[in-house]
Amino acid sequence: MTRTLVKEAQALGLRVMEGTKVTGFERSGGRIVGLQTWRGSIACGEVILAAGCVSKAMAAHVGVDLPVHNFLARATVLTAPEGLTKERRNVIFSP
């Protein structure tokens, strides 16, 4: 999914800089006008904060209390036994 979003963003003319760590924000008049990165400063008119579980901490650097709540998610991946037909692949979980 991420690869698709990157391709679509680039097709719209957006510049995607993967592997570039943001180390700070440049502000003027209450707005973010640039980003400080370990590759140097980048001037910008708008910023999209898409840092996943660290978005709340990053937003706090500019005084924004972002309502993001992290929680532990669990996933189970099952493989059907050899010979089981598609019609009989029902899985039931019970305590």
Side-chain angles (χ1 to χ4, degrees):
M1 182 173 151
T2 303
R3 285 280 133 221
T4 301
L5 291 173
V6 167
K7 285 181 183 178
E8 290 298 320
Q10 290 171 328
L12 293 170
L14 299 174
R15 182 172 60 163
V16 177
M17 299 176 68
E18 295 179 273
T20 304
K21 182 178 180 179
V22 174
T23 58
F25 301 95
E26 297 173 9
R27 301 188 326 179
S28 176
R31 294 183 48 90
I32 296 174
V33 296
L35 300 174
Q36 298 165 354
T37 76
W38 59 2
R39 294 182 181 181
S41 294
I42 302 169
C44 59
E46 294 178 322
V47 174
I48 298 172
L49 179 55
C53 64
V54 297
S55 293
K56 184 175 182 80
M58 290 188 73
H61 286 286
V62 292
V64 175
D65 182 20
L66 195 63
V68 174
H69 306 282
N70 301 323
F71 60 92
L72 179 62
R74 296 177 188 210
T76 302
V77 178
L78 304 171
T79 303
E82 191 68 35
L84 190 62
T85 64
K86 186 175 183 179
E87 293 77 26
R88 298 184 63 180
R89 290 188 183 189
N90 297 324
V91 178
I92 299 172
F93 291 96
S94 65

